[in-house]
PDB file of all heavy atoms in Angstrom:
ATOM      1  N   VAL A  39     160.536 168.808 145.841  1.00 92.00           N
ATOM      2  CA  VAL A  39     159.258 169.586 145.611  1.00 92.00           C
ATOM      3  C   VAL A  39     159.439 170.932 146.308  1.00 92.00           C
ATOM      4  O   VAL A  39     159.620 170.912 147.524  1.00 92.00           O
ATOM      5  CB  VAL A  39     158.023 168.777 146.119  1.00 92.00           C
ATOM      6  CG1 VAL A  39     156.769 169.610 145.806  1.00 92.00           C
ATOM      7  CG2 VAL A  39     157.980 167.421 145.435  1.00 92.00           C
ATOM      8  N   SER A  40     159.271 171.999 145.568  1.00 93.00           N
ATOM      9  CA  SER A  40     159.497 173.303 146.096  1.00 93.00           C
ATOM     10  C   SER A  40     158.318 174.234 146.000  1.00 93.00           C
ATOM     11  O   SER A  40     157.472 174.027 145.000  1.00 93.00           O
ATOM     12  CB  SER A  40     160.715 173.946 145.373  1.00 93.00           C
ATOM     13  OG  SER A  40     161.854 173.182 145.404  1.00 93.00           O
ATOM     14  N   ALA A  41     158.157 175.107 146.903  1.00 92.00           N
ATOM     15  CA  ALA A  41     157.155 176.242 146.813  1.00 92.00           C
ATOM     16  C   ALA A  41     157.873 177.464 146.424  1.00 92.00           C
ATOM     17  O   ALA A  41     158.845 177.900 147.130  1.00 92.00           O
ATOM     18  CB  ALA A  41     156.409 176.344 148.117  1.00 92.00           C
ATOM     19  N   PHE A  42     157.481 178.133 145.406  1.00 92.00           N
ATOM     20  CA  PHE A  42     158.169 179.295 144.778  1.00 92.00           C
ATOM     21  C   PHE A  42     157.305 180.490 144.766  1.00 92.00           C
ATOM     22  O   PHE A  42     156.143 180.398 144.178  1.00 92.00           O
ATOM     23  CB  PHE A  42     158.668 178.918 143.401  1.00 92.00           C
ATOM     24  CG  PHE A  42     159.524 179.942 142.665  1.00 92.00           C
ATOM     25  CD1 PHE A  42     160.828 180.109 143.115  1.00 92.00           C
ATOM     26  CD2 PHE A  42     159.017 180.684 141.660  1.00 92.00           C
ATOM     27  CE1 PHE A  42     161.648 181.059 142.498  1.00 92.00           C
ATOM     28  CE2 PHE A  42     159.837 181.617 141.100  1.00 92.00           C
ATOM     29  CZ  PHE A  42     161.195 181.838 141.450  1.00 92.00           C
ATOM     30  N   SER A  43     157.705 181.569 145.294  1.00 90.00           N
ATOM     31  CA  SER A  43     156.939 182.877 145.313  1.00 90.00           C
ATOM     32  C   SER A  43     157.219 183.518 143.988  1.00 90.00           C
ATOM     33  O   SER A  43     158.331 183.967 143.681  1.00 90.00           O
ATOM     34  CB  SER A  43     157.402 183.744 146.412  1.00 90.00           C
ATOM     35  OG  SER A  43     156.788 185.010 146.362  1.00 90.00           O
ATOM     36  N   ALA A  44     156.224 183.489 143.018  1.00 88.00           N
ATOM     37  CA  ALA A  44     156.403 184.049 141.738  1.00 88.00           C
ATOM     38  C   ALA A  44     156.759 185.482 141.767  1.00 88.00           C
ATOM     39  O   ALA A  44     157.493 186.027 140.934  1.00 88.00           O
ATOM     40  CB  ALA A  44     155.168 183.789 140.866  1.00 88.00           C
ATOM     41  N   ALA A  45     156.087 186.285 142.674  1.00 82.00           N
ATOM     42  CA  ALA A  45     156.277 187.724 142.627  1.00 82.00           C
ATOM     43  C   ALA A  45     157.721 188.153 143.074  1.00 82.00           C
ATOM     44  O   ALA A  45     158.293 189.070 142.561  1.00 82.00           O
ATOM     45  CB  ALA A  45     155.306 188.426 143.635  1.00 82.00           C
ATOM     46  N   ASN A  46     158.310 187.367 143.987  1.00 81.00           N
ATOM     47  CA  ASN A  46     159.634 187.752 144.512  1.00 81.00           C
ATOM     48  C   ASN A  46     160.736 186.822 144.066  1.00 81.00           C
ATOM     49  O   ASN A  46     161.858 187.152 144.309  1.00 81.00           O
ATOM     50  CB  ASN A  46     159.545 187.703 146.095  1.00 81.00           C
ATOM     51  CG  ASN A  46     158.523 188.630 146.635  1.00 81.00           C
ATOM     52  OD1 ASN A  46     157.369 188.235 146.878  1.00 81.00           O
ATOM     53  ND2 ASN A  46     158.842 189.951 146.838  1.00 81.00           N
ATOM     54  N   GLY A  47     160.376 185.746 143.429  1.00 85.00           N
ATOM     55  CA  GLY A  47     161.401 184.864 142.837  1.00 85.00           C
ATOM     56  C   GLY A  47     162.228 184.132 143.873  1.00 85.00           C
ATOM     57  O   GLY A  47     163.432 183.853 143.617  1.00 85.00           O
ATOM     58  N   VAL A  48     161.644 183.769 145.061  1.00 87.00           N
ATOM     59  CA  VAL A  48     162.349 183.083 146.090  1.00 87.00           C
ATOM     60  C   VAL A  48     161.646 181.728 146.459  1.00 87.00           C
ATOM     61  O   VAL A  48     160.418 181.627 146.291  1.00 87.00           O
ATOM     62  CB  VAL A  48     162.492 183.920 147.329  1.00 87.00           C
ATOM     63  CG1 VAL A  48     163.396 185.145 146.995  1.00 87.00           C
ATOM     64  CG2 VAL A  48     161.189 184.401 147.841  1.00 87.00           C
ATOM     65  N   VAL A  49     162.429 180.813 146.942  1.00 90.00           N
ATOM     66  CA  VAL A  49     161.945 179.596 147.393  1.00 90.00           C
ATOM     67  C   VAL A  49     161.430 179.727 148.802  1.00 90.00           C
ATOM     68  O   VAL A  49     162.139 180.176 149.680  1.00 90.00           O
ATOM     69  CB  VAL A  49     162.967 178.415 147.344  1.00 90.00           C
ATOM     70  CG1 VAL A  49     162.424 177.095 147.810  1.00 90.00           C
ATOM     71  CG2 VAL A  49     163.548 178.320 145.949  1.00 90.00           C
ATOM     72  N   LEU A  50     160.193 179.331 149.116  1.00 90.00           N
ATOM     73  CA  LEU A  50     159.569 179.454 150.420  1.00 90.00           C
ATOM     74  C   LEU A  50     159.809 178.180 151.292  1.00 90.00           C
ATOM     75  O   LEU A  50     159.763 178.270 152.491  1.00 90.00           O
ATOM     76  CB  LEU A  50     158.094 179.721 150.340  1.00 90.00           C
ATOM     77  CG  LEU A  50     157.748 180.981 149.472  1.00 90.00           C
ATOM     78  CD1 LEU A  50     156.220 181.068 149.468  1.00 90.00           C
ATOM     79  CD2 LEU A  50     158.333 182.214 150.160  1.00 90.00           C
ATOM     80  N   GLY A  51     160.020 177.017 150.640  1.00 89.00           N
ATOM     81  CA  GLY A  51     160.225 175.816 151.323  1.00 89.00           C
ATOM     82  C   GLY A  51     160.292 174.622 150.405  1.00 89.00           C
ATOM     83  O   GLY A  51     160.036 174.752 149.162  1.00 89.00           O
ATOM     84  N   GLN A  52     160.858 173.489 150.812  1.00 91.00           N
ATOM     85  CA  GLN A  52     160.918 172.282 149.914  1.00 91.00           C
ATOM     86  C   GLN A  52     160.894 171.053 150.796  1.00 91.00           C
ATOM     87  O   GLN A  52     161.247 171.078 151.994  1.00 91.00           O
ATOM     88  CB  GLN A  52     162.145 172.364 149.095  1.00 91.00           C
ATOM     89  CG  GLN A  52     163.450 172.278 149.863  1.00 91.00           C
ATOM     90  CD  GLN A  52     163.908 173.573 150.551  1.00 91.00           C
ATOM     91  OE1 GLN A  52     163.796 173.705 151.756  1.00 91.00           O
ATOM     92  NE2 GLN A  52     164.263 174.580 149.806  1.00 91.00           N
ATOM     93  N   VAL A  53     160.575 169.963 150.168  1.00 90.00           N
ATOM     94  CA  VAL A  53     160.594 168.654 150.802  1.00 90.00           C
ATOM     95  C   VAL A  53     161.185 167.620 149.775  1.00 90.00           C
ATOM     96  O   VAL A  53     161.003 167.854 148.534  1.00 90.00           O
ATOM     97  CB  VAL A  53     159.226 168.105 151.296  1.00 90.00           C
ATOM     98  CG1 VAL A  53     158.739 168.960 152.425  1.00 90.00           C
ATOM     99  CG2 VAL A  53     158.265 168.077 150.186  1.00 90.00           C
ATOM    100  N   LYS A  54     161.739 166.595 150.230  1.00 88.00           N
ATOM    101  CA  LYS A  54     162.324 165.599 149.376  1.00 88.00           C
ATOM    102  C   LYS A  54     161.393 164.405 149.269  1.00 88.00           C
ATOM    103  O   LYS A  54     160.732 163.991 150.115  1.00 88.00           O
ATOM    104  CB  LYS A  54     163.688 165.081 149.945  1.00 88.00           C
ATOM    105  CG  LYS A  54     164.368 164.056 149.075  1.00 88.00           C
ATOM    106  CD  LYS A  54     165.493 163.387 149.766  1.00 88.00           C
ATOM    107  CE  LYS A  54     164.969 162.259 150.662  1.00 88.00           C
ATOM    108  NZ  LYS A  54     166.127 161.405 151.189  1.00 88.00           N
ATOM    109  N   THR A  55     161.348 163.833 148.007  1.00 84.00           N
ATOM    110  CA  THR A  55     160.680 162.567 147.751  1.00 84.00           C
ATOM    111  C   THR A  55     161.584 161.638 147.111  1.00 84.00           C
ATOM    112  O   THR A  55     162.586 162.008 146.459  1.00 84.00           O
ATOM    113  CB  THR A  55     159.370 162.740 146.904  1.00 84.00           C
ATOM    114  OG1 THR A  55     159.776 163.070 145.536  1.00 84.00           O
ATOM    115  CG2 THR A  55     158.524 163.845 147.442  1.00 84.00           C
TER     116      THR A  55
END
Side-chain angles (χ1 to χ4, degrees):
V39 180
S40 305
F42 186 73
S43 173
N46 302 91
V48 294
V49 181
L50 302 177
Q52 66 282 106
V53 295
K54 183 192 81 169
T55 71

